[in-house]
């Protein structure tokens, strides 16, 4: 169980964190560290995670500033049975293009049913809008990275975009942005498997919150 000071949310935000997210985190007694105003998302995410490793938190929650999880959903992610030294979890939410922000492993490209019998699906990668990872996983990954120093502070480039070679993936070369690259590299460097929790459907702020419903079938972005 990972309550209170043992769990820490990391939130990069360009201008602010949505007030509803702030209120729900307070209700869930979820502490958070934010970085506001940095337009370099790769650096912002890396700074946040590097700083988080200086705390005693055992589980880190990645939450985007415009996500709208309920208190129950925050608690479900905080207490997920799938978050341990070898596994991480992402919730289910849609991108702006209305596709699922997760990519199942090869051979699992059938539609994903939200809230169905098959609760957990292993993924190659996902967004970082609502996910959880264990400290020990991150430490193993950090051991493979160069340490950087800025203004007297050490940090590690956890979220560098990555190019996948044809040898690494039969489908050919592919560019991975900072979020998918993190999960790819975490698996390669630390053997961590990422699981999509199809029972954890999160609203994402547009004009109004848009969330997946139980029984929805969603297309997977390629």
């Amino acid at each position: 169980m990972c309550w209170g000071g043992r769990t820490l949310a990391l939130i990069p935000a360009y201008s602010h964190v949505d007030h509803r997210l702030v209120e729900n985190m307070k209700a869930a007694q979820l502490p958070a560290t934010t970085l506001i105003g940095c337009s370099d998302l790769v650096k912002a995410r890396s700074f946040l995670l590097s700083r988080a490793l200086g705390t005693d938190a055992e589980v880190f929650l990645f939450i985007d500033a415009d996500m709208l999880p309920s208190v129950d959903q925050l608690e479900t992610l905080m207490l997920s049975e799938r978050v341990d030294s070898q596994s991480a979890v992402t919730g289910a939410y849609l991108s702006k293009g209305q596709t699922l922000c997760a990519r199942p492993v090869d051979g699992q490209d059938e539609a994903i049913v939200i809230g169905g019998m098959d609760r957990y699906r292993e993924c190659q990668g996902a967004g970082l809008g609502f996910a959880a990872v264990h400290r020990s996983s991150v430490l193993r990954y950090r051991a493979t990275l160069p340490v950087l120093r800025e203004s007297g502070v050490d940090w590690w480039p956890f979220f560098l975009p990555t190019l996948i070679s044809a040898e690494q993936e039969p489908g050919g070369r592919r560019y991975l942005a900072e979020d998918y690259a993190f999960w790819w590299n975490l698996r390669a460097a630390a053997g961590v498997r990422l699981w999509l929790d199809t029972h954890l459907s999160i609203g994402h702020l547009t004009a109004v919150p848009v969330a997946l419903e139980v029984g929805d079938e969603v297309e997977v972005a390629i």
Side-chain angles (χ1 to χ4, degrees), residues 48-213:
L48 282 169
L49 187 52
S50 297
R51 186 165 65 189
L53 288 170
T55 73
D56 61 357
E58 295 183 14
V59 173
F60 305 124
L61 270 56
F62 302 123
I63 305 178
D64 280 350
D66 59 353
M67 297 300 288
L68 297 176
S70 67
V71 175
D72 286 345
Q73 289 172 329
L74 287 167
E75 292 174 351
T76 296
L77 185 61
M78 292 163 68
L79 295 169
S80 177
E81 63 184 4
R82 285 297 178 102
V83 179
D84 57 32
S85 64
Q86 299 296 328
S87 299
V89 168
T90 178
Y93 60 95
L94 298 175
S95 68
K96 292 180 180 178
Q98 300 300 296
T99 56
L100 185 68
C101 282
R103 180 175 178 175
V105 297
D106 291 339
Q108 296 187 19
D109 56 356
E110 66 270 16
I112 293 172
V113 179
I114 301 302
M117 295 292 292
D118 187 13
R119 176 165 183 170
Y120 295 103
R121 292 283 298 275
E122 187 174 0
C123 291
Q124 292 181 355
L128 289 167
F130 197 70
V133 66
H134 198 274
R135 177 190 191 90
S136 60
S137 302
V138 177
L139 287 174
R140 294 200 305 276
Y141 177 28
R142 187 181 71 173
T144 70
L145 297 173
V147 61
L148 305 175
R149 177 168 283 265
E150 186 167 324
S151 301
V153 177
D154 290 343
W155 64 283
W156 290 262
F158 290 107
F159 299 95
L160 285 177
T162 298
L163 290 175
I164 304 303
S165 69
E167 290 75 22
Q168 292 172 292
E169 182 168 305
R173 293 180 179 175
R174 201 154 51 88
Y175 169 83
L176 299 180
E178 94 289 340
D179 45 9
Y180 279 65
F182 174 77
W183 299 118
W184 175 280
N185 291 322
L186 193 66
R187 182 174 69 249
V192 177
R193 301 170 74 183
L194 173 64
W195 299 93
L196 169 70
D197 186 346
T198 68
H199 289 200
L200 193 53
S201 172
I202 311 305
H204 194 277
L205 184 63
T206 54
V208 294
V210 176
L212 294 161
E213 302 293 339

Side-chain angles (χ1 to χ4, degrees), residues 24-44:
N24 287 348
M25 287 193 301
K26 287 181 179 178
Q29 301 180 48
L30 172 61
T33 180
T34 63
L35 183 59
I36 295 176
C38 180
S39 60
D40 185 344
L41 192 54
V42 170
K43 192 173 185 178

